[in-house]
Amino acid sequence: MAKAPTVYDVAERAGVSIASVSRVLRSPDSVKEQTRERVLEAVRHLGYVPSANARGLAARRTNVIGLFFPGHDDVAGSEGQLVAASGGVTTVRDDPTTEPETNNFYFDEVLRGAEIEAWRRGFALMVAAGRGASREAIVNDIAGRVDGLAVLARTVPDELLTHVARRIPVVVLAATRGTDEFDHVSVNNAPGMRAMTEHVLGAGARRLLYIAGPEDSPDDAERLQGFRAAVDGVAGVTVELIRGDFSRARGREIALGIDPLPDAIVCSNDQTALGVLDAMGRRSIGVPDDVMVTGFDGITAGRHSSPRLTTVHQPMVELGRAAIQALTARLDDPSMDARSLVLPVQVVLRESCP
Amino acid sequence: MAKAPTVYDVAERAGVSIASVSRVLRSPDSVKEQTRERVLEAVRHLGYVPSANARGLAARRTNVIGLFFPGHDDVAGSEGQLVAASGGVTTVRDDPTTEPETNNFYFDEVLRGAEIEAWRRGFALMVAAGRGASREAIVNDIAGRVDGLAVLARTVPDELLTHVARRIPVVVLAATRGTDEFDHVSVNNAPGMRAMTEHVLGAGARRLLYIAGPEDSPDDAERLQGFRAAVDGVAGVTVELIRGDFSRARGREIALGIDPLPDAIVCSNDQTALGVLDAMGRRSIGVPDDVMVTGFDGITAGRHSSPRLTTVHQPMVELGRAAIQALTARLDDPSMDARSLVLPVQVVLRESCP
DNA sequence: CCCACAACTGTATGCGCTTACAGTTTGCAA
DNA sequence: TTGCAAACTGTAAGCGCATACAGTTGTGGG
């Protein structure tokens, strides 16, 4: 890495001007074959890789899209420096009760979708996760690096977004549009939960427990609304609501303490529902015979639990893709009206509430 | 987004030179308080976000690190354009046998680790996944955008890496060092599998089935080597080897056809082992009583299977972090000798092979 | 009140590329 | 041959910022 070669080096070796080098790389057909060959030879010989910075500066676009989501704030143990010492094998017996939980499946999938769509459209993808206080700096930083930014709802104050949006288009994920000026992409939370709940009622459940997520989640709020719409006014239905935090551990904890048992436990996400299943297993309570359980999200783990989890599947990969599409659409036509795209969901019936 | 403001705009509004604007942003202390305030006011007022391209060009570094890994090549259904129509809820009954599998947990974790460490060290993270043929173009593209590149083993031809490495440092993940000049970060595959296998033997198993991964996986090769080291020369042990592909589906398929049953099935990754557990469940064969099952990776799903999966846990998040650390170390001192870091693994005993 | 020096600010240059425009070559009809 | 359009190539001007260096202002000592 003595000194990265530049267009000038390539041009010199190929005996052409830097404009020709640039042309060979950008629009090969506009250059005579013979010249092109000489340039490409020089590129290979010198190990030339064009600087995206210079390119971006000259072309006034980076061809990068940013994705910002709430982060694993500061992960335990992430402080340390890794020792350089190599190898080692230890053995532990894993007690089911010790459980460092990571439940970012949701973001992983969104990210996957975004990654796919971004590259398909010729954009690179930059990811950033929100660390509490430094969030503002990070968002600003990333905003300077990209042509467009997709942000997960509620992770960034509107004021910051507005600031950033003066420079690049911003699309907000997983929140329906309020009064802001951004494009939005979300899923059909309320109708999905409503349909799920109606299925539960249809299966004969009358005494329902609803385990909600954190109060500041707009997704959760919409799901709760859908749940209420389903139960409201239905004769003979009683409802209890407990607030969880979307985690498996909390779901389990709540379910371990439930007494008497309701007919059905409707959870506002899958992780919570899986925790409930764990608890029922431990309490030797039959699902769905003694109590039905449902989730929301459609994470892979729900297909492999026992019993398998009935849930509302939301298209997470599609969500990521849609975000990129919304962004590129706006880049193509900045004057477009702000749009709000709501993706369909699917009630998936499995054994936990057949 | 009429026209993004630049340093010049900010300087003009604040009544200072562009150098002062730059200073306020880069080293605030070198500017008189009063001036600083004026500049910051202008920044806020104009919605100024500095261009990372210009900054990178001038400073000769991007402060971005790239992560390249094998991709979900072309995902089914990813061709379509999303309809702009909103909403919708459908219901399906999910048959356990239909199963679109996504098993990138591994990469998700590595990515998480890399993301954390990169931002901690003041770098942004750019991710790219390998699409078959366009791989070369993608790697070249991303190489022009970053200060350093982490690449998952075997996903990129050495020749390409060498080309790229002339411009920026490259670290290869999950493969021990061969004769190349790159830094490497990997995990202790062979000793880990050896220890796992010895545990299996210690539990009394004598007829073993080993389900390997794809032939081109260096990780898999090392694990197999560890397995062989453990069984070699142990009296009375018989071994059969079947090659899988690291997928859950393939693991299940293989396990459904096994007859007669061995004492233990040692799998070279968790997904495969989970597939084996699925199959045993369906065949009503008791695990670990009738057959023991072990995996390798330590993915979350293994903690929630039934029975819970005994496995060798590899520190995937740490792997990602270590990659970034290796990269930044080399950026700090490019003349350093190529290093190879091997991370420790942990045999985790759970019910599938206690 | 002057001067040396510190603290601060401005000027000017270049980072590596794209691209409008001007200049040169080529092919071919006249 | 000559002339001219088409095809190609070169020249030069930025893109928005960082920073070396020069210039300006402010401070305290003499």
Side-chain angles (χ1 to χ4, degrees), chain B residues 93-154:
Chain B
R93 196 166 292 275
D94 187 28
D95 172 348
T97 62
T98 70
E99 190 151 346
E101 193 82 28
T102 52
N103 53 0
N104 298 51
F105 307 108
Y106 179 89
F107 305 126
D108 291 339
E109 302 249 330
V110 173
L111 174 59
R112 201 182 333 267
E115 203 280 335
I116 290 170
E117 192 65 22
W119 284 97
R120 175 193 304 287
R121 292 174 177 263
F123 286 85
L125 219 221
M126 180 164 287
V127 299
R131 305 279 175 297
S134 56
R135 196 156 50 189
E136 178 152 354
I138 292 183
V139 170
N140 244 296
D141 179 284
I142 203 175
R145 303 177 175 282
V146 301
D147 290 337
L149 185 61
V151 176
L152 252 103
R154 299 285 96 203

Side-chain angles (χ1 to χ4, degrees), chain A residues 40 102 292 314:
Chain A
L40 290 177
T102 53
M292 295 184 274
Q314 57 169 318

Side-chain angles (χ1 to χ4, degrees), chain B residues 26 42 107 123 231 274 312 317 329:
Chain B
R26 310 270 95 241
F107 305 126
F123 286 85
V231 297
L274 290 173
V312 181
V317 171

Side-chain angles (χ1 to χ4, degrees), chain B residues 3 17 40 57 83-84 104 118 121-122 143 149 159 161 163 179 190 217 246 266 268 277 293 301 321 338 347:
Chain B
K3 175 70 169 59
S17 73
L40 289 178
L57 186 56
V83 261
N104 298 51
R121 292 174 177 263
L149 185 61
E159 181 193 322
L161 280 192
H163 184 240
T179 57
S217 161
F246 277 166
V266 176
S268 72
L277 290 184
V293 177
R321 294 187 53 215
V347 174

Side-chain angles (χ1 to χ4, degrees), chain A residues 7-8 22 26 48 55:
Chain A
V7 261
Y8 296 97
S22 181
R26 309 270 98 244
Y48 170 68
R55 182 174 280 182

